[in-house]
């Protein structure tokens, strides 16, 4: 099986790899997947006052498509509001990366990751208000 | 285009140049292309002579009578013929078969078919090294058992079963014993004259012969009977019909001959390379050998690089052709059933790579592989959240993962 060029590009030059302080109230963390299933994604977003995502970081354990899906996602969410980011669909990611059917679950995981990160951020805001 | 370093000899081997040269003499108009079943002219006689010589070469490696060599299209067919052929033939005696959980699919799926036909199959559990204990075999045999089918060497981890000890048990109990020797021939000494093995499968393409060619050894004394699966002109004493593929057969014969001649040299070469490979990884953190390094065939080294996923690793190995225990590409997300059966967690199975070394592997290639693998593992660990957690001292088993 040959890999799609965009998948390869993200895999080889993953964007926005890293970690943020989980305890920071302006950071939302989403960790989804399970080691037993062969993929775990951790997506973190840094949200500014106006609700705009100023920075995003990820780390992923998984196949090349999982790494590419999360890397792409970090590029897409930056500059979006948290509401807009939560609207990102797995099909957008799958289309952009031309994922084959057996890899669609990687894009589903990425969608779950951003939703989880947004909801973590919101719950932190809720707590502090 | 330069191709990656081939480290997948357990999947298949290139043909030895001596094999391909020999094969080419049995195909075209200037060669020996006759049908061995043609009794009326020299074309047939020459083909028959070549085939009988090859049969003898096969027999010499494993110390059996050439008349016990039934030619097939590969170990898959041999396994099917042995298992279904024996089960059907001895149906009146009973309908119970004993095998293990870590057999090749050719064995497991033949057993599944028998289950659909109303047979019962017991699947023995291996120990943590992938070995089936003779005592477990003994305990599983019942009055209605007709066949025990086990592999000699496991294709994923190289574990070796004690077929001598198991043969003593099956012979004493009056049960037939089939061994899948696809991964052992040419790698371990096999003496069918002393082993109490009744049927044994071999595959030419795992030992530098052509693909699509194999053997089922069917013992003559005591005589083993089986029901043919392929019906037709009555070739191979009625056990397997079909015009004999002369070029394939002479190629296999040559491969078996070379395997015997080069046995010690191959073993020494491959053992030294495997040691070199493992020495190149053994100082790394959280890296483990799957199976028992000291009691396995030297050609196979199965390693889990914890906290990185096997498929992404393979993607990082631009210059290495290997296989992984992570079955992420298949429709199911299930990792290798062999690694699971020897007790690996799913994540360790997902993180496994099988390196398999062969006759044509070079020392410089091993060194290049070590460098490339170390680089890739480090790079992927840097982007792995699991590696972070491990480094932070978090026990991954204590985390509640959202299964999906
Ligand atoms: C243990 C074992 N049995 C059977 C087979 C099937 O052999 P063949 O490819 O000759 O059908 C293989 C190889 O894939 C094997 O490793």
């Amino acid at each position: 099986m040959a890999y799609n060029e965009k998948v390869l590009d993200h895999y080889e030059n993953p964007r926005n790899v890293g970690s943020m302080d989980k305890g920071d109230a302006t950071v939302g963390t989403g960790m989804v997947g399970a080691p037993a299933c062969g993929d775990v994604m951790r997506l973190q977003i840094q949200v500014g006052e106006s609700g705009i995502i100023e920075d995003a970081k990820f780390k992923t354990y998984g196949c090349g498509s999982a790494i590419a899906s999360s890397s792409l996602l970090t590029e897409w969410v930056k500059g979006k509001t948290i509401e807009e980011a939560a609207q990102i669909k797995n099909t957008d990611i799958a289309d952009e990366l031309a994922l084959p059917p057996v890899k669609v679950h990687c894009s589903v995981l990425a969608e779950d990751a951003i939703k989880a990160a947004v909801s973590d951020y919101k719950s932190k805001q809720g707590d502090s208000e | 285009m330069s191709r990656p370093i081939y480290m997948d000899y357990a999947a298949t081997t290139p043909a030895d140049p001596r094999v391909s040269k020999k094969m080419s003499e049995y195909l075209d108009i200037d060669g020996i292309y006759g049908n061995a079943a043609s009794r009326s002219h020299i074309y047939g006689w020459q083909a028959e002579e070549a085939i009988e010589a090859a049969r003898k070469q096969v027999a010499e490696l494993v110390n059996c009578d050439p008349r016990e060599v039934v030619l097939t299209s590969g170990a898959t067919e041999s396994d099917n013929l042995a298992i279904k052929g024996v089960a059907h033939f001895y149906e009146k005696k009973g309908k119970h078969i004993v095998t293990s959980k870590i057999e090749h699919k050719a064995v497991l799926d033949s057993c599944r078919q028998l289950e659909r036909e109303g047979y019962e199959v017991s699947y023995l559990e291996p120990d943590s090294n992938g070995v089936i204990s003779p005592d477990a075999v003994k305990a599983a045999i019942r009055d209605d058992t007709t066949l025990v089918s086990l592999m000699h060497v496991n294709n994923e981890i190289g574990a070796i079963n004690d077929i001598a000890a198991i043969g003593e048990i099956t012979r004493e109990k009056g049960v037939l014993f089939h061994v899948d020797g696809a991964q052992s021939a040419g790698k371990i000494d096999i003496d069918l004259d002393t082993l109490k093995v009744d049927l044994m499968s071999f595959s030419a393409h795992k030992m530098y012969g052509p693909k699509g060619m194999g053997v089922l050894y069917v013992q003559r004394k005591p005589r083993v009977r089986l029901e043919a699966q392929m019906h037709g002109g009555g070739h191979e004493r009625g056990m397997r019909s079909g015009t004999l593929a002369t070029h394939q057969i002479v190629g296999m014969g040559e491969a078996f001959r070379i395997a015997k001649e080069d046995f010690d040299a191959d073993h020494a070469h491959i053992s030294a390379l495997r040691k070199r490979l493992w020495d190149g990884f053994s100082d790394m953190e959280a890296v483990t050998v799957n199976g028992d390094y000291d009691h396995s065939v030297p050609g196979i080294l199965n390693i889990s690089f914890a906290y990185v996923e096997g498929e992404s690793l393979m993607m990082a190995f631009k210059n290495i052709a290997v296989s992984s225990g992570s079955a992420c590409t298949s429709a199911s997300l299930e990792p290798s059933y062999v690694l699971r059966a020897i007790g690996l967690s799913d994540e360790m199975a997902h993180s496994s790579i099988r390196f398999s070394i062969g006759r044509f592997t070079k020392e410089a290639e091993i060194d290049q592989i070590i460098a490339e693998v170390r680089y890739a593992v480090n790079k992927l660990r840097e982007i792995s959240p699991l590696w972070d957690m491990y480094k932070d001292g978090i026990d991954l088993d204590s985390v509640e993962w959202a299964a999906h």
Side-chain angles (χ1 to χ4, degrees):
Chain A
M1 183 187 67
Y3 294 98
N4 171 277
E5 238 173 74
K6 284 180 183 159
V7 171
L8 269 179
D9 180 39
H10 277 282
Y11 171 78
E12 269 160 29
N13 313 294
R15 330 286 202 258
N16 307 309
V17 172
S19 319
M20 295 172 179
D21 178 8
K22 251 188 1 197
D24 185 336
T26 64
V27 170
T29 300
M31 179 137 86
V32 295
C37 305
D39 31 34
V40 174
M41 277 180 199
R42 190 184 65 203
L43 176 73
Q44 296 186 299
I45 49 173
Q46 166 108 51
V47 185
E49 304 246 307
S50 49
I52 289 182
I53 298 174
E54 289 172 349
D55 199 7
K57 296 270 184 232
F58 86 96
K59 285 206 179 190
T60 290
Y61 161 87
C63 63
S65 304
I67 292 170
S69 297
S70 31
S71 169
L72 175 69
L73 186 65
T74 57
E75 283 193 319
W76 277 2
V77 299
K78 275 203 231 180
K80 284 198 166 64
T81 65
I82 50 173
E83 280 75 24
E84 285 167 348
Q87 296 300 313
I88 293 173
K89 291 273 161 294
N90 83 284
T91 45
D92 301 334
I93 296 167
D95 287 349
E96 172 68 16
L97 296 173
L99 298 180
V102 295
K103 294 296 183 188
V104 167
H105 72 272
C106 298
S107 65
V108 173
L109 209 57
E111 182 186 318
D112 291 349
I114 181 63
K115 291 215 161 83
V118 167
S119 114
D120 178 58
Y121 169 76
K122 280 186 175 163
S123 72
K124 277 183 182 167
Q125 295 302 308
D127 288 346
S128 58
E129 266 161 26
Chain B
M1 186 184 101
S2 86
R3 295 189 295 177
I5 299 168
Y6 191 72
M7 286 292 277
D8 211 5
Y9 278 81
T12 193
T13 58
D16 189 291
R18 292 166 282 186
V19 168
S20 46
K21 179 175 175 298
K22 181 111 190 220
M23 289 176 71
S24 67
E25 296 160 13
Y26 293 82
L27 283 163
D28 63 22
I29 186 93
D30 298 319
I32 296 173
Y33 60 84
N35 184 330
S38 300
R39 297 290 151 106
S40 52
H41 50 69
I42 188 164
Y43 295 90
W45 305 332
Q46 284 179 330
E48 192 188 13
E49 198 186 331
I51 287 167
E52 291 320 308
R55 211 187 284 279
K56 194 155 168 285
Q57 290 172 319
V58 169
E60 277 166 1
L61 177 69
V62 294
N63 201 21
C64 70
D65 188 307
R67 290 170 298 178
E68 295 174 314
V69 172
V70 174
L71 301 164
T72 68
S73 65
T76 298
E77 186 188 336
S78 299
D79 290 345
N80 272 263
L81 178 57
I83 294 166
K84 293 188 278 189
V86 163
H88 290 157
F89 192 91
Y90 295 95
E91 193 176 57
K92 293 228 162 57
K93 186 192 165 216
K95 295 178 95 174
H96 178 241
I97 312 283
V98 176
T99 185
S100 88
K101 289 197 165 157
I102 60 168
E103 297 303 307
H104 190 268
K105 287 285 180 193
V107 167
L108 293 176
D109 278 6
S110 294
C111 289
R112 290 268 179 257
Q113 174 57 28
L114 289 173
E115 285 179 307
R116 282 191 286 273
E117 294 170 17
Y119 289 75
E120 250 187 274
V121 181
S122 299
Y123 298 92
L124 302 177
E125 299 262 2
D127 67 13
S128 62
N129 290 322
V131 174
I132 304 297
S133 96
D135 285 340
V137 175
K138 193 176 207 164
I141 294 174
R142 318 190 306 212
D143 288 344
D144 61 344
T145 308
T146 53
L147 180 73
V148 171
S149 177
L150 294 170
M151 64 206 323
H152 193 188
V153 167
N154 181 271
N155 47 303
E156 288 194 34
I157 54 178
I160 304 168
N161 277 324
D162 186 352
I163 59 171
I166 295 168
E168 294 295 336
I169 294 164
T170 49
R171 190 62 55 86
E172 190 203 310
K173 296 248 185 190
V175 170
L176 292 176
F177 184 27
H178 165 247
V179 176
D180 181 341
Q183 295 288 349
S184 65
K187 286 142 195 126
I188 305 181
D189 186 41
I190 298 170
D191 181 354
L192 286 169
D193 190 42
T194 54
L195 284 169
K196 296 197 168 85
V197 167
D198 303 289
L199 300 124
M200 192 155 180
S201 303
F202 300 108
S203 177
H205 76 93
K206 307 282 188 192
M207 43 191 295
Y208 315 98
K211 291 166 189 54
M213 192 64 225
V215 161
L216 180 63
Y217 157 80
V218 182
Q219 185 178 254
R220 286 165 66 89
K221 275 185 210 145
R223 185 163 177 219
V224 174
R225 310 286 302 275
L226 43 79
E227 192 183 284
Q229 304 294 305
M230 192 70 81
H231 303 98
H235 307 77
E236 300 298 278
R237 281 167 293 116
M239 283 187 267
R240 202 276 188 180
S241 290
T243 297
L244 293 172
T246 317
H247 65 298
Q248 299 283 85
I249 296 164
V250 297
M252 176 169 70
E254 182 71 356
F256 274 67
R257 180 191 72 72
I258 297 167
K260 186 173 164 75
E261 189 176 285
D262 291 359
F263 190 92
D264 293 334
D266 279 349
H267 197 273
H269 173 69
I270 295 167
S271 300
L273 292 183
R274 181 171 74 149
K275 179 171 186 307
R276 193 178 184 89
L277 185 61
W278 177 232
D279 284 350
F281 298 139
S282 54
D283 66 311
M284 291 172 79
E285 207 176 336
V287 169
T288 46
V289 174
N290 298 317
D292 182 350
Y293 183 95
D294 294 319
H295 296 101
S296 49
V297 287
I300 296 176
L301 184 61
N302 192 310
I303 301 185
S304 284
F305 298 93
Y307 316 116
V308 293
E309 190 272 338
E311 201 187 322
S312 63
L313 256 183
M314 290 204 293
M315 202 166 155
F317 301 162
K318 282 192 208 57
N319 301 305
I320 315 173
V322 286
S323 66
S324 164
S326 177
C328 198
T329 33
S330 68
S332 78
L333 295 177
E334 299 271 294
S336 153
Y337 63 93
V338 173
L339 297 180
R340 299 258 309 265
I342 64 167
L344 254 71
S345 63
D346 285 5
E347 56 262 45
M348 286 305 266
H350 275 300
S351 299
S352 74
I353 298 284
R354 178 188 71 182
F355 298 91
S356 51
I357 304 166
R359 183 180 290 161
F360 305 113
T361 310
K362 295 181 186 66
E363 204 173 271
E365 292 177 326
I366 297 287
D367 294 344
Q368 198 181 327
I369 285 162
I370 293 168
E372 190 157 327
V373 170
R374 293 185 75 110
Y375 176 80
V377 170
N378 289 334
K379 181 181 153 184
L380 287 167
R381 280 180 171 172
E382 267 165 37
I383 70 166
S384 166
L386 303 183
W387 178 250
D388 269 5
M389 293 165 82
Y390 161 74
K391 281 291 181 185
D392 288 344
I394 297 169
D395 174 11
L396 295 181
D397 292 333
S398 70
V399 178
E400 263 194 51
W401 301 99
H404 64 108

